[in-house]
Amino acid sequence: MTTQVINDYLTKQIFIEKNIVTYRSLSRHFSIHVNVAKNELATYHHDAPYQSQTCLATILLSGTPRKLSKYRNQNEEDEDINMDATQSTNADDDEYESEEVPQIKITIVNEKDLEDAKASYDDIFSIHIYSLSPAPLHDVDLICEPTYSVRSTDRVKGPEFATTVGRLVGRGIKMGPTRKRALPPVAGPSNLKRPAAPEAKPAVKEEVKEKPAAAPATEKPKPTGKINFFKKAADKPKEPKVIKKDVKLVKEEPVEEKKRMFFQKASSKPASRASSPAPSVVSSKAEKAQPSRGLKRKSSAGLESREKSPENPAPPKAESNTRVKRRAIVSDDESDAPSIKAPRRKARSSLKVESTENSEAEREVMAIMDLHDDQVEKVSRVPSTNASSNEHEENDEAGSPAQDEDIEMEDDTPAKPKVTKKRKPKMVVPVGRNGLKKVKVTKSRKVKDANGYMVTEDYTDWESVDENAGPPAPKTKPRAKAKVTEVKKEEEEETPLAPVKEKEEEIAPKKTVTKSTSTGAKAKSGAKGGNTKTQKGLMNFFVPKKAAS
Amino acid sequence: MSAYANMAVPPTLSRASTVIVHDDPLSHSFEIGPSKKSYKFQYSNIYFIRLHLLRGTVESQAHRKWMSIAGDPALIPRVLEVEKGKLCYVIGTVYMDMPLKPNVIEDIARDQSIAPPPPPPKYCSPEDSIMLEDESGRIKLVGDCVKDARLVTGVIIGALGMETPNGEFEVIDICYPEMAPQLTEENQIPEENRMDVDGEDRPSDSNSSDEWIAVVSGLDFGSPSCSDGQVQLLIEYLTGEGNGVDDQVSASQISRLIVAGDSLAPVAPESLEPTPALDDKRARRNGQELTSFSPRPVLNLSAALNDIASSMPIHILPGESDPSGTIMPQQPFPRAMFNDASRYSTFSCETNPKYLTLASDPEVESSLKLARPPMKRKLLINSGQPLNDMFKYLQSPPNTRLSVLESTLRWRHMAPTAPDTLWCHPYIGEDPFVIAETPDIYIVGGQKKFGTKLVTAHPESSKQKDKPPTRCRIILVPSFAQTGTLIVVNLRTLAVRCVNFAVHGMTAGGKTETAEESANPPSPMVMEPLPSAPRSSLDYGFH
C-alpha cells in the first residue's frame, strides 16, 4: 500500500510544518476514500509512538446519547454546551407533549477526554480519528483550517472526484457554468448596451442624467444657487465644441464626447424610423428635419455655445417642430393618461443607470431648479426690452429653454438675428432614446421631511416621448383651437407663443416681446408642467403650426 | 488506537432523491412580484379578507358544535347586533388590547431624544382585554373561557355566549376554524410504519430507502456563538464523509437540506467605540459603518453552503437576523450572495414562509423497481418570526411554543398577528398566511429548543369517518449555533430524528465569551431600505 508515502506526508505535515491533518485533507491529498483516510490516520497515530513521535488525535464519536428518564438529568450529567442551551433554559417547555425522537449525537473530542465523552453515550455507532495534530486542540474551529485546501482540491478535481473520496452526491447535482467568469464581460458594457436592448429603458435615462450631471462637474458650485445654475447652463452647450474654453472643460471633453456619441447613435436610428409613422401633428417640416437630427443637434449645440452667432436658424427650426410636438405631453399627475405611462417609466428607470455617479451633482442642480420655479416668472417680466445680460439669465433660468427657443425661431421668420442670438444660451433638452426630445413632466411625490411628516411636493422630470405621439396631440387640439381664435391677430405677427405672453405682459414692444415671451414661456414650462396656463400656451402654439402645414 | 483503523469502505452510496413539485399553486404564494409591489394599501384589507375567507368555515364548525346545545343559540351576523341576555354566537376577529404591545401612536409621540425602552419580552399583562371585531365594530369578550383560551390578535373565532348588562360578551365556548383539509390523502402513513412514529428507537428501524430531509436553522455566521467547527461537522455529516459507515448510509438518505432562516447574525453597530467626528461623518456619507462591516460571515456561509450544495439540493430561507427585508413574506436572497453555491441549479433561495411540495423521484423509483407507492409531501416552512411574535402574546407557563404552533393549524392561519405586531406586506385582496390546506410537515425555524408533534385533526371535527384523519408533523427547529442540532425528517413516515453536533473538552465558537456577548444586546437588524422610500436617483429629475 501507499502507507509509507502517507506516513511521510503525515510526518512532514504534523512534525515539520506543524499542521493539523484531518481525514478529509488526507483523503483529498492522496485521492483516497475518506474511510481509508480515517484508517490511515488511526494506523499512523497508533504507530507514531514507536517512532518517538507523538501526535495527538481528535476523535469523532457518533451514537445515541445516554437517555435518561428526564431530559433534565441528562442535562446535569452532560456538560455539553449544546445540550445545556437546549434543555435548561426553558425547562417548563418540556412538560408539553413534545414527542421523544431518536437522537444521534456526534461529538468531537481530544483523545485525552475520550473516555469522558464516551460516558455520555448509550450506544456508540462509530469512533474514528478525525484529525492528528502536533498539540491538543483547544478550539474546534481549528479543524476548519484544512478545509480550505480540501475545498480547493475539490474544486480543481471536479465532481467526479466526489465518488473517489466518498462524498455523497445527489441526483441532478450539477455545477452550473461558471457564471462568475461569464459575468464580468457582460457587466462592463451593460451600462451602455442596455439602451439598445429591447426593453432598454436605461438609454433614455442615461441621457437625462448625463446632461445635467456633466454641467455641474465642469464648474465649481457658486455661492448662490442662481448664479451657479446660470453658469452651468451656459457652459453646458459649449462643452462639446468649444475646447479652448477652460482646462476643466477640456478635461471633461473626452468623456462627454463619448457619451454624446452614444446618445446620438442611439437616438438617430429610432428617430429616422419614427418620423414616418409619426402621426397627425408631425408636419412635413418635421419629417424633413428629423432624419438629420443627429447632425443638427450637434451643430446647434455648437452654435449655442457661441451665443451671439445668428447664422443658422434652420437647424433649430427643424428641431423645434418635433419638440413642439413632444411638448404636448404634459401630465400633472402620475396617474393620468395610460398612453404616457410607458415612456415615462422608461425615463425613470433609465435615470437610475447613471445616478450613482452623478447623483450628487444632479441633486445640486435639482435643488437649484426647485428654488427657481417661482422666480422665473418674475425675472422674465423685468427686462424684456433690453439688457442682453439679463436675457441670458432668463434663458438660463428657464427649466427647459430649448423648446421655447426653437419654437420661436421656427414660427417666427427665421431671419430675426437678434432674437436668435439671445436665446442661444439655454438648457439642453435631453433627447430620448427614440430620438425625440424629452418632455418635462410634473409629478408629485410624497416625502418624509425632517420632522417625520409626509410632505407632498411637485417636481419636474424629463420623460421621453412616445415615438408615435398620437394620444397627446389630439388631446390638446380642441383646447388649443379655442385659444387660437382669441389670439389670432397677434399670432400672425408673432410667434404662436407670443400671444399668450402678450396677454400676460401686455406692454412689451413686439420685437422684444418675442424674446421675452419665449423666455417667459420657457420659464413657465420649466417651472411646472402643472401650470395649466403654460400648457395652454403651448397648445396654442401647436395649432398655428398645424394650420401652416 | 489501532482499534479504530478498521473502518470499511462502503459501496458507493447514492443519495436518496426527491423532486420538487412545481405545479403546486401555493408554491409561489409568498412571492411579491411586480404586480403586488405596492405599499399604498391599508392594512385593514388583510383583516377584511381574512374574516371573509375564514368566516364560512367557522360558521359551519360553530353550527356543528353548538347546534345541539340547549337554548338553541343563533348566529348573530354582526358582533354589534348581539342582544342582551340572549344566548347566541358571533364570529369575528380577535383583537388583543394590550398596554404593553408596541403602539405606533406612542412611538410617534415619544420623546425622540430619549432612547426607547427595550421592547418587553412579553406583551401580556393583567390589564389585557380581548375584543372580537368585525366590519361593524368590536365587542369585549369576558369570561374564564376566553382567559384560558390561547388567543392572539387576528385569529378568527366564533364565540358562544351572551351580552352582559354592561355591554360585554360573556363567552361560554369558543370555536376555531380547525385544521384545514389535506389534499394528499392518498399518501397516508403506511400502517406498518406507524409504530416508528410513536416510539422509534433506532433510526435504522425505518426503511432504509425512505427519503429524508434535513432542516437546520440559525447557523448564525458572524455571531460569536457560531462555531465553525460545528458547522464543519455538520457539513461532513451531510456530505456523508464523517463518522462510520452506518452514519454515512443514513446520511445518504437525506435528499435535501432546508435552511430555515437566521443563517447570518445581525450586523451589530459599533456602539462602544466613539469614533472621531470626522470619521463618523465620512462613514455616514458612505452609507455604512466601515469599522464594523465585514463580508466574512457571508463568505463563510457561502463556502459552507457550497460544500453542501455540491452534495445535495439546498433550500435557503431568509430569517429574522438575515440581511433581508423585515416585512413578513421575506423575499428570497439574491443568489449572487452565495457566489459558488449559486451555480448549482439545485440551490434555491426561497421566500420566508414557503410551501414546498416534494415527491419521490419517479426515475429513481422506476430504476429501483421497488414496490413503493409514490410519495408526495407538502411542507410549510418559515423562519420563526410569526411564532416568536405570537408567543409574546401568551403567558408562557401554560403555553408552549409547540402548543401555539399547533394552534395556528387550528386557526388556519400561520401568522395571525401579522399586520398588528408582526410587520407584513400590505396585501390587498388576499391573505396568503391563511392555511387553506394543511401541510404534511410544518417546520418553524429560529426556535430556542427542539420540539415536535404529530398533530391529528380532532376526531369530532372530521365529518367523514372513513377518511383518514388530517395529520401534520410540526417541528420546531432550534438554532444551530445555540444547540448544534440538525433535524432530519422522514418524508414517508414523518418520523423525526435529531442529530446533535457537539464538542467535548474544547471551546466551541467562542462560547467562553458568552458573558461579554450578553453585554451587547442584539441590535436591531439592518434593514434593507423600504421600497416605498423615495430613491434619490429616481425622484430627482433634471429640469
Side-chain angles (χ1 to χ4, degrees):
Chain A
M1 232 182 135
T2 56
T3 309
Q4 191 49 48
V5 186
I6 292 172
N7 273 347
D8 293 346
Y9 171 75
L10 286 174
T11 311
K12 188 183 171 208
Q13 287 293 312
I14 296 167
F15 298 106
I16 299 171
E17 296 186 7
K18 306 270 182 224
N19 277 336
I20 298 170
V21 180
T22 66
Y23 69 91
R24 290 181 93 208
S25 63
L26 186 66
S27 89
R28 296 313 193 275
H29 193 266
F30 290 101
S31 299
I32 53 179
H33 194 279
V34 277
N35 287 6
V36 176
K38 289 168 195 168
N39 293 339
E40 291 293 342
L41 284 183
T43 314
Y44 180 83
H45 182 255
H46 181 72
D47 295 342
Y50 303 122
Q51 295 157 16
S52 70
Q53 299 162 323
T54 316
C55 56
L56 294 163
T58 46
I59 291 167
L60 194 67
L61 290 165
S62 87
T64 47
R66 174 151 305 176
K67 235 181 216 155
L68 295 168
S69 54
K70 281 250 165 188
Y71 272 128
R72 246 169 266 160
N73 296 345
Q74 176 195 8
N75 198 23
E76 284 160 18
E77 178 213 290
D78 180 4
E79 277 193 314
D80 174 69
I81 299 151
N82 307 316
M83 301 309 285
D84 226 14
T86 353
Q87 266 89 31
S88 63
T89 45
N90 339 3
D92 41 7
D93 270 25
D94 286 344
E95 308 307 333
Y96 195 67
E97 62 282 1
S98 172
E99 289 171 13
E100 294 243 332
V101 300
Q103 303 264 340
I104 294 175
K105 193 172 162 190
I106 292 170
T107 310
I108 187 165
V109 67
N110 278 314
E111 59 180 315
K112 69 174 161 56
D113 297 323
L114 180 61
E115 292 312 312
D116 262 8
K118 273 180 171 174
S120 67
Y121 280 90
D122 239 4
D123 184 8
I124 292 176
F125 301 159
S126 75
I127 298 180
H128 73 76
I129 299 216
Y130 185 89
S131 68
L132 295 178
S133 54
L137 298 184
H138 290 296
D139 194 313
V140 240
D141 294 355
L142 292 172
I143 63 169
C144 298
E145 205 46 51
T147 306
Y148 301 107
S149 68
V150 169
R151 279 177 187 153
S152 59
T153 317
D154 280 351
R155 201 175 309 133
V156 170
K157 303 227 174 164
E160 301 76 27
F161 189 54
T163 46
T164 320
V165 297
R167 191 180 59 203
L168 290 166
V169 176
R171 270 167 43 79
I173 302 277
K174 242 179 283 154
M175 197 143 194
T178 324
R179 247 177 256 160
K180 244 196 209 160
R181 256 162 249 157
L183 270 182
V186 177
S190 69
N191 271 350
L192 291 178
K193 246 172 204 169
R194 230 176 285 156
E199 336 150 57
K201 293 165 185 183
V204 178
K205 218 178 254 166
E206 238 172 24
E207 282 173 45
V208 177
K209 269 289 151 79
E210 175 66 29
K211 287 192 177 160
T218 46
E219 284 280 314
K220 274 179 197 159
K222 296 279 151 97
T224 57
K226 234 188 199 173
I227 293 170
N228 197 5
F229 173 70
F230 300 149
K231 270 279 155 117
K232 263 178 239 161
D235 285 345
K236 214 198 305 171
K238 284 175 207 167
E239 278 170 10
K241 291 273 151 150
V242 189
I243 305 173
K244 59 190 171 177
K245 214 11 185 187
D246 190 324
V247 185
K248 269 181 228 154
L249 276 184
V250 175
K251 260 189 219 153
E252 188 73 13
E253 275 265 334
V255 183
E256 258 295 300
E257 201 68 54
K258 220 199 281 168
K259 281 175 185 164
R260 230 156 253 247
M261 289 287 281
F262 163 62
F263 296 139
Q264 249 136 32
K265 232 192 273 164
S267 62
S268 63
K269 254 188 255 163
S272 55
R273 211 194 314 133
S275 62
S276 55
S280 55
V281 194
V282 188
S283 63
S284 53
K285 257 188 216 165
E287 270 175 78
K288 264 180 252 159
Q290 261 171 345
S292 55
R293 165 166 290 277
L295 289 175
K296 248 164 232 158
R297 240 171 27 90
K298 243 192 231 160
S299 67
S300 71
L303 282 176
E304 281 153 40
S305 67
R306 236 149 265 157
E307 287 197 353
K308 301 278 146 105
S309 71
E311 306 112 37
N312 63 339
K317 201 202 230 166
E319 263 180 356
S320 66
N321 227 343
T322 44
R323 265 181 215 146
V324 171
K325 200 209 311 170
R326 261 168 269 135
R327 199 58 192 147
I329 303 174
V330 178
S331 78
D332 299 2
D333 198 330
E334 301 208 41
S335 64
D336 64 353
S339 64
I340 300 179
K341 244 171 190 171
R344 183 182 299 145
R345 224 177 266 146
K346 259 183 212 163
R348 292 198 120 207
S349 63
S350 54
L351 268 176
K352 241 183 264 172
V353 174
E354 288 238 323
S355 65
T356 39
E357 302 166 23
N358 295 336
S359 57
E360 189 82 312
E362 186 190 330
R363 226 171 287 137
E364 202 177 50
V365 175
M366 256 302 299
I368 293 157
M369 293 301 222
D370 278 349
L371 266 185
H372 288 285
D373 278 353
D374 22 357
Q375 289 170 19
V376 173
E377 280 186 37
K378 278 181 219 155
V379 178
S380 70
R381 255 165 225 154
V382 181
S384 53
T385 24
N386 53 350
S388 64
S389 63
N390 274 353
E391 198 76 30
H392 280 302
E393 284 183 9
E394 288 166 87
N395 286 347
D396 293 348
E397 217 167 5
S400 61
Q403 271 132 350
D404 312 67
E405 194 194 350
D406 289 332
I407 288 158
E408 210 226 1
M409 284 196 274
E410 177 209 293
D411 289 78
D412 245 327
T413 40
K416 272 182 188 167
K418 252 192 192 171
V419 176
T420 354
K421 228 196 272 164
K422 287 199 169 150
R423 260 141 226 164
K424 290 258 163 90
K426 65 177 179 185
M427 293 287 310
V428 175
V429 178
V431 175
R433 188 171 37 100
N434 57 7
L436 301 179
K437 294 234 165 144
K438 295 201 175 166
V439 161
K440 192 160 280 180
V441 182
T442 306
K443 296 168 189 167
S444 57
R445 65 173 163 225
K446 284 190 178 163
V447 174
K448 204 177 204 178
D449 71 5
N451 298 327
Y453 295 105
M454 294 300 289
V455 175
T456 309
E457 64 180 53
D458 288 345
Y459 67 103
T460 58
D461 197 359
W462 289 109
E463 306 252 297
S464 66
V465 177
D466 219 348
E467 290 185 6
N468 40 4
K475 210 160 119 205
T476 54
K477 257 185 245 162
R479 258 139 116 236
K481 250 175 198 163
K483 260 251 155 129
V484 175
T485 49
E486 275 178 37
V487 211
K488 227 179 186 174
K489 260 194 216 162
E490 283 121 346
E491 253 178 13
E492 283 165 13
E493 294 180 11
E494 296 282 336
T495 16
L497 257 190
V500 187
K501 251 302 137 94
E502 198 96 311
K503 266 192 221 149
E504 285 170 20
E505 299 186 13
E506 310 233 357
I507 344 155
K510 277 189 182 169
K511 258 192 194 170
T512 40
V513 165
T514 45
K515 278 183 239 159
S516 64
T517 51
S518 65
T519 51
K522 217 190 287 169
K524 264 196 187 170
S525 62
K528 262 329 97 158
N531 292 353
T532 40
K533 251 192 206 166
T534 324
Q535 282 177 20
K536 266 180 202 162
L538 288 167
M539 286 156 195
N540 217 352
F541 199 170
F542 297 0
V543 177
K545 207 203 312 166
K546 237 231 157 166
S549 66
Chain B
M1 287 292 163
S2 59
Y4 304 136
N6 52 4
M7 192 172 290
V9 175
T12 308
L13 295 165
S14 66
R15 189 178 283 289
S17 165
T18 50
V19 293
I20 305 169
V21 179
H22 285 288
D23 58 2
D24 181 10
L26 288 175
S27 59
H28 299 291
S29 52
F30 294 107
E31 282 163 26
I32 298 177
S35 58
K36 288 187 199 162
K37 219 165 211 163
S38 167
Y39 294 84
K40 65 183 176 188
F41 300 115
Q42 294 290 320
Y43 280 110
S44 61
N45 292 315
I46 297 181
Y47 286 118
F48 284 133
I49 290 290
R50 189 183 300 171
L51 186 58
H52 177 76
L53 287 174
L54 294 177
R55 183 193 283 274
T57 319
V58 178
E59 243 177 74
S60 59
Q61 289 286 351
H63 180 71
R64 194 181 312 142
K65 194 171 177 184
W66 295 326
M67 63 184 167
S68 52
I69 279 182
D72 194 22
L75 169 70
I76 306 293
R78 299 164 137 246
V79 293
L80 290 192
E81 285 165 3
V82 291
E83 287 169 45
K84 282 194 172 61
K86 197 176 157 214
L87 187 68
C88 61
Y89 61 92
V90 288
I91 294 167
T93 311
V94 172
Y95 176 77
M96 307 289 283
D97 196 12
M98 302 174 137
L100 294 184
K101 210 163 67 173
N103 187 327
V104 178
I105 305 298
E106 274 169 25
D107 252 14
I108 293 169
R110 203 171 48 79
D111 186 350
Q112 300 281 348
S113 61
I114 303 169
K122 290 275 183 193
Y123 302 146
C124 50
S125 68
E127 290 88 54
D128 297 345
S129 52
I130 301 171
M131 315 283 207
L132 190 71
E133 68 173 30
D134 66 6
E135 298 94 335
S136 67
R138 59 168 71 150
I139 190 169
K140 189 173 176 183
L141 302 183
V142 292
D144 288 343
C145 175
V146 179
K147 286 235 166 57
D148 298 339
R150 195 180 292 132
L151 290 175
V152 301
T153 293
V155 177
I156 310 290
I157 60 163
L160 175 74
M162 59 174 73
E163 191 177 359
T164 61
N166 46 5
E168 292 162 340
F169 194 77
E170 177 88 34
V171 180
I172 306 165
D173 198 5
I174 289 176
C175 171
Y176 302 109
E178 296 302 337
M179 279 172 75
Q182 204 157 27
L183 298 184
T184 51
E185 65 274 332
E186 74 274 14
N187 302 309
Q188 286 309 302
I189 303 167
E191 273 311 312
E192 69 270 22
N193 282 335
R194 274 290 164 83
M195 298 306 291
D196 295 345
V197 178
D198 298 333
E200 188 188 22
D201 276 338
R202 280 286 302 267
S204 50
D205 287 354
S206 59
N207 193 333
S208 64
S209 61
D210 284 356
E211 296 91 347
W212 296 67
I213 54 163
V215 189
V216 72
S217 176
L219 292 172
D220 242 7
F221 276 90
S223 83
S225 64
C226 163
S227 157
D228 288 344
Q230 275 169 292
V231 175
Q232 184 65 39
L233 295 180
L234 169 71
I235 293 169
E236 286 166 21
Y237 176 77
L238 288 174
T239 58
E241 292 181 51
N243 311 308
V245 179
D246 283 355
D247 292 302
Q248 287 167 345
V249 170
S250 64
S252 74
Q253 295 176 266
I254 299 171
S255 65
R256 49 187 72 226
L257 172 71
I258 293 167
V259 183
D262 297 345
S263 311
L264 292 162
V267 177
E270 213 96 321
S271 52
L272 298 181
E273 309 166 14
T275 43
L278 189 94
D279 284 358
D280 197 27
K281 219 180 198 172
R282 185 175 300 152
R284 219 172 283 153
R285 254 187 112 162
N286 291 341
Q288 63 188 19
E289 282 169 61
L290 300 170
T291 45
S292 65
F293 179 78
S294 159
R296 193 121 204 106
V298 185
L299 296 178
N300 286 346
L301 172 66
S302 59
L305 288 176
N306 184 35
D307 286 350
I308 302 170
S310 65
S311 176
M312 65 168 73
I314 299 181
H315 301 266
I316 184 166
L317 281 71
E320 191 171 10
S321 68
D322 288 322
S324 178
T326 319
I327 59 171
M328 221 359 230
Q330 283 181 305
Q331 295 306 293
F333 283 123
R335 286 181 75 86
M337 243 174 91
F338 308 101
N339 33 39
D340 272 351
S342 67
R343 286 165 53 198
Y344 293 95
S345 58
T346 48
F347 176 86
S348 17
C349 299
E350 310 284 11
T351 53
N352 176 357
K354 171 76 183 172
Y355 283 106
L356 193 65
T357 310
L358 299 177
S360 50
D361 194 333
E363 292 176 42
V364 171
E365 293 295 302
S366 57
S367 66
L368 286 180
K369 297 202 172 59
L370 286 175
R372 279 192 306 177
M375 174 269 309
K376 188 169 153 190
R377 292 284 179 248
K378 184 185 284 279
L379 283 71
L380 173 57
I381 310 147
N382 74 48
S383 299
Q385 295 100 314
L387 182 57
N388 293 344
D389 190 61
M390 275 181 271
F391 201 55
K392 291 181 185 168
Y393 280 75
L394 301 164
Q395 288 289 354
S396 60
N399 296 297
T400 62
R401 284 168 186 269
L402 203 59
S403 64
V404 177
L405 185 62
E406 185 184 346
S407 300
T408 62
L409 285 173
R410 302 181 61 202
W411 297 334
R412 292 200 191 182
H413 203 282
M414 70 183 92
T417 60
D420 190 15
T421 46
L422 181 69
W423 296 8
C424 90
H425 184 79
Y427 279 102
I428 179 137
E430 62 171 329
D431 183 0
F433 299 107
V434 169
I435 302 173
E437 186 187 324
T438 301
D440 298 292
I441 301 171
Y442 184 9
I443 296 167
V444 174
Q447 301 304 305
K448 289 206 172 77
K449 172 182 178 317
F450 168 76
T452 186
K453 192 186 177 191
L454 189 71
V455 182
T456 41
H458 239 246
E460 63 187 299
S461 65
S462 69
K463 218 175 181 182
Q464 308 100 316
K465 295 282 179 195
D466 53 324
K467 265 180 106 180
T470 308
R471 48 100 196 88
C472 174
R473 165 65 67 185
I474 57 174
I475 301 168
L476 302 178
V477 184
S479 158
F480 185 83
Q482 301 296 329
T483 65
T485 304
L486 171 80
I487 312 293
V488 285
V489 188
N490 187 325
L491 287 176
R492 287 188 183 268
T493 64
L494 304 186
V496 178
R497 211 184 332 163
C498 278
V499 182
N500 268 291
F501 297 93
V503 170
H504 194 99
M506 292 184 230
T507 58
K511 288 263 164 57
T512 48
E513 300 158 20
T514 321
E516 292 167 34
E517 180 194 338
S518 61
N520 297 344
S523 61
M525 56 187 287
V526 180
M527 285 165 40
E528 84 178 359
L530 286 182
S532 60
R535 290 183 210 162
S536 59
S537 60
L538 280 184
D539 287 346
Y540 289 109
F542 184 70
H543 291 225

